[in-house]
Amino acid sequence: MARHYRISIWFNNRMDIRESSSALRRILTAVLAVVAAGQLWAAPAVAELRNGEPGAQAACDRIEGDLAEAIDEAGVPGATVAVVTPESVDVRAVGEDAAGEALEPDAAMLWGSVSKPIAATVVMRLVEEGRLALDDPVSEYLQEMPTTDPRFRSITIRQLLNHTSGLPFGAEFLDVDAPGRRASDVIAAMEDLELVGDPGGAYSYSSVGFVFVQAVIEEVEGEGLAEVESRLFPGVGELDDVSPGARFVGNRALSWRTPRDGAGLGYGYQGGSVGALAGFVQDSFGERGAGEIDEMIEEPVDSSGGGSMGLGWRVRADGVVWHTGTVPGYFSAVHIDRERQVAVVVTMNASGLLPEEQLLGITEDLFEEVRGNEGDGGGFGGSPVGLLILLGVAAVVLVVVGLGIRLRGGRVRAAFWLAGSLVVGLCGWWLLPALLEVPARYLWLWVPEVAIAFTLIPIALFGVGVWSAFRSRERGRPRARTGRGQQRRGAVGSGSAHP
């Protein structure tokens, strides 16, 4: 913008073409010099993180301090971070767990959708071994498939991994507290599942698609996905003692029990320590891992937000490979710069729909700092969807209260408050989930402040209605006469009858 502004001034002052070209060349030279200087500065910033390099300790200390400051501002109880290079993994922990105890660097957390590229990598290993092919139909491996649409039988493994299968997000089948349930059993129960598009068509992010991925892996391997992944990637899936997580209620993160979905290891319920996740990421710098990622991002599809989606991994325009993940109580992110051979892995023990973009911004800032760039990811204020939900709640309540106050007549007002409590309750627990196409329990999982509001407000309105009905009944009763008034009226009556 500044360059176009200067060019317009030059032409307005009737500068000749040669002078304009000369000035333009000087500007371009300056820009290239700044870019080159930035690259030269960034290279040492990455190099000093290598094992044995002077300043590595100071660089990781600086990142640790920045993370501590960022999560304190965001209200997150604690976080762990790992800076990964081909030669080293440096792990740090800041803050507390959701129970108020100091967070340890080896604290196990759930990784949310970062589970997806892990499951996709397992698939690539099976492809390498010749045990399946990416373009095989899923129906070749699974006996139980939805029968509501014949297109289900044409969905391929590749389409599951890059989210072009036509499957919906599938909220009604996700985030269930059932550690023992199997992916194949969940698929067998998908009688009402409908496709949102043709298999192989447009990108549509689908977590339920990775339930199918998990089922295929378990069928081919003959054991659970947890056992497969922990065997391939040491430390992954060690979840006997998960550090407590928290959910945001307003701007406060409160300790809250997280569901554990045994059929969700492929889409979001895998986990472990940040060191275990960093070890998985470090494999991508080796010859085998680099070859796998090359194939996984060879033909990415356009996804929302201007980026693209490979097989399990997201890809930025600058070539950075990344993914984030969130389940109730936890948030994680992986960012990999394959050119500079450095990655940043972050796990946090808090989640919520409203602060999700802010948490992503924190991880992006740390990654850019490690790369030697100036990050600005923390500028996001939150998800507009969550904000619109909160505004909708406020609007409904204001309308109901405003109409109730204007009504006159005790019985009419009481009936209105009672009906209002029913309307608000239905809006919150039926209409809103229907509009968002999620089950009502998702309010408790992702926006508990909204769930609390739609629980307490109808109760309050119902209470006002009962109180109004009681007052109306009291006012309708004839008032009892006092003894003195009765005596006075009796005396007057006696005098008039018997002078």
Side-chain angles (χ1 to χ4, degrees), residues 8 27 40 51 83 111 114 169 212 221 248 253 273 279 319 331 335 404 412 425 442:
S8 67
I27 291 175
L40 291 174
N51 261 350
V83 179
W111 297 336
V114 172
F169 179 76
F212 285 81
E221 287 285 84
F248 278 96
S273 69
F331 179 87
H335 304 277
V412 174
Y442 260 47

Side-chain angles (χ1 to χ4, degrees), residues 399-424:
V399 168
V400 171
V401 172
L403 291 174
I405 292 175
R406 292 178 62 88
L407 286 175
R408 301 191 179 278
R411 293 183 179 179
V412 174
R413 182 179 292 181
F416 177 82
W417 288 122
L418 293 173
S421 69
L422 178 62
V423 169
V424 173

Side-chain angles (χ1 to χ4, degrees), residues 443-457:
L443 297 183
W444 287 112
L445 291 174
W446 299 110
V447 277
E449 56 268 83
V450 173
I452 292 170
F454 276 123
T455 299
L456 296 182
I457 291 172

Side-chain angles (χ1 to χ4, degrees), residues 300-364:
V301 297
D302 290 338
S303 62
S304 57
S308 56
M309 174 64 76
L311 304 181
W313 285 110
R314 296 185 182 276
V315 188
R316 283 186 356 191
D318 61 358
V320 167
V321 177
W322 68 288
H323 213 293
T324 61
T326 181
V327 291
Y330 304 92
F331 179 87
S332 65
V334 172
H335 304 277
I336 306 173
D337 186 335
R338 303 180 69 215
E339 180 179 353
R340 298 179 184 176
Q341 295 282 282
V342 65
V344 171
V345 180
V346 182
T347 63
M348 302 183 193
N349 55 12
S351 70
L353 181 62
L354 291 174
E356 186 173 349
E357 292 290 346
Q358 184 181 10
L359 303 185
L360 170 60
I362 292 172
T363 69
E364 288 177 333

Side-chain angles (χ1 to χ4, degrees), residues 191-337:
E191 299 176 355
D192 300 326
L193 188 64
E194 296 182 0
L195 294 176
V196 296
D198 292 331
Y203 166 88
S204 180
Y205 191 83
S206 173
S207 280
V208 80
F210 274 76
V211 176
F212 285 81
V213 172
Q214 178 173 340
V216 169
I217 294 172
E218 292 177 341
E219 177 65 26
V220 172
E221 287 285 84
E223 58 182 339
L225 182 58
E227 289 74 23
V228 176
E229 292 183 342
S230 62
R231 173 164 44 83
L232 295 176
F233 313 113
V236 174
E238 296 179 1
L239 296 172
D240 294 334
D241 187 18
V242 179
S243 180
R247 299 182 216 175
F248 278 96
V249 180
N251 60 356
R252 293 181 62 85
L254 303 179
S255 180
W256 205 308
R257 185 177 181 275
T258 296
R260 295 284 295 276
D261 186 359
L265 297 175
Y267 74 78
Y269 283 85
Q270 188 55 278
S273 69
V274 73
L277 183 54
F280 164 76
V281 171
Q282 192 179 39
D283 282 352
S284 68
F285 295 136
E287 182 177 354
R288 182 179 188 179
E292 288 170 346
I293 291 190
D294 283 342
E295 188 172 356
M296 293 168 81
I297 65 173
E298 184 178 9
E299 298 179 357
V301 297
D302 290 338
S303 62
S304 57
S308 56
M309 174 64 76
L311 304 181
W313 285 110
R314 296 185 182 276
V315 188
R316 283 186 356 191
D318 61 358
V320 167
V321 177
W322 68 288
H323 213 293
T324 61
T326 181
V327 291
Y330 304 92
F331 179 87
S332 65
V334 172
H335 304 277
I336 306 173
D337 186 335

Side-chain angles (χ1 to χ4, degrees), residues 53-115:
E53 290 287 339
Q57 184 75 24
C60 290
D61 287 345
R62 184 172 64 252
I63 292 167
E64 179 182 351
D66 291 344
L67 177 59
E69 182 179 348
I71 67 166
D72 182 64
E73 182 178 348
V76 176
T80 57
V81 60
V83 179
V84 186
T85 69
E87 301 88 4
S88 66
V89 173
D90 194 299
V91 175
R92 304 296 176 93
V94 297
E96 304 173 336
D97 64 23
E101 301 292 332
L103 190 65
E104 298 295 334
D106 61 350
M109 300 189 199
L110 298 178
W111 297 336
S113 288
V114 172
S115 304

Side-chain angles (χ1 to χ4, degrees), residues 362-414:
I362 292 172
T363 69
E364 288 177 333
D365 280 352
L366 290 175
F367 178 59
E368 295 305 325
E369 182 177 347
V370 167
R371 299 173 76 208
N373 301 329
E374 188 69 26
D376 62 353
F380 294 99
S383 168
V385 175
L387 182 59
L388 289 174
I389 292 174
L390 292 178
L391 291 175
V393 174
V396 170
V397 173
L398 287 175
V399 168
V400 171
V401 172
L403 291 174
I405 292 175
R406 292 178 62 88
L407 286 175
R408 301 191 179 278
R411 293 183 179 179
V412 174
R413 182 179 292 181

